[in-house]
Amino acid sequence: MTNGLSLTQRNIRPAKGQAAFLPNQPIIHNCIASEALMAGDIVTFATTELTDATVLKKAATTDLPCGVVVYNAIKSGFVANDKISIFPVNSFVYMPAGYANLTIGSKVAFNSDGQVVAADSGDNTIGILWTQPAAIGDMVVVQVAPVVA
């Protein structure tokens, strides 16, 4: 008799915004979405005003990101005023590649589609690339480490 579950052959297919290199990922809970967001969206602060909660919006490529919306198998989309969780600095998260020729260890920025791309001089970056894509759209592991240009 064989088991239906193997501890070594999990065949987990990564999804945008899903944790990589488990366990012990830092997650910030109880943030508030200021607009519609999806799992894996790169976010920044929506306001600098003092509030009871951290309010976040989708980051533009010119914004300094503060994290990535956590993948949730039950609810992948969020609307304004929904509570969300994010992976902050030093988390490892799966993100789609915008280029096939990204190099492991390089700093990566992001495009308007939320894909990671090679960082050019003057780009705000989302983090450091830990795995290399074979094609555009492949899921790669990014260590969240935002840097303002």
Side-chain angles (χ1 to χ4, degrees):
M1 178 186 223
T2 60
N3 290 330
L5 176 65
S6 169
L7 297 177
T8 58
Q9 299 297 323
R10 294 180 297 256
N11 294 328
I12 297 172
R13 188 167 55 193
K16 182 179 176 184
Q18 187 177 32
F21 302 153
L22 296 173
N24 302 325
Q25 287 278 35
I27 296 177
I28 298 176
H29 299 287
N30 295 323
C31 298
I32 304 294
S34 70
E35 61 188 25
L37 294 171
M38 299 293 292
D41 278 348
I42 298 165
V43 293
T44 190
F45 299 104
T47 181
T48 56
E49 297 173 15
L50 182 61
T51 62
D52 292 336
T54 302
V55 182
L56 302 172
K57 66 179 181 178
K58 188 171 183 176
T61 57
T62 55
D63 291 333
L64 177 63
C66 64
V68 176
V69 177
V70 172
Y71 169 81
N72 180 329
I74 297 170
K75 186 175 183 180
S76 61
F78 305 92
V79 296
N81 296 317
D82 274 356
K83 286 190 176 183
I84 60 171
S85 298
I86 65 165
F87 289 120
V89 172
N90 285 328
S91 299
F92 293 87
V93 63
Y94 284 106
M95 298 295 298
Y99 297 144
N101 60 346
L102 298 172
T103 305
I104 292 173
S106 64
K107 291 182 180 178
V108 288
F110 57 100
N111 62 22
S112 58
D113 294 326
Q115 299 170 316
V116 294
V117 295
D120 291 327
S121 177
D123 286 347
N124 292 342
T125 62
I126 184 59
I128 301 165
L129 190 69
W130 280 65
T131 59
Q132 190 167 354
I136 293 172
D138 282 356
M139 290 294 169
V140 294
V141 175
V142 175
Q143 180 182 6
V144 178
V147 174
V148 68

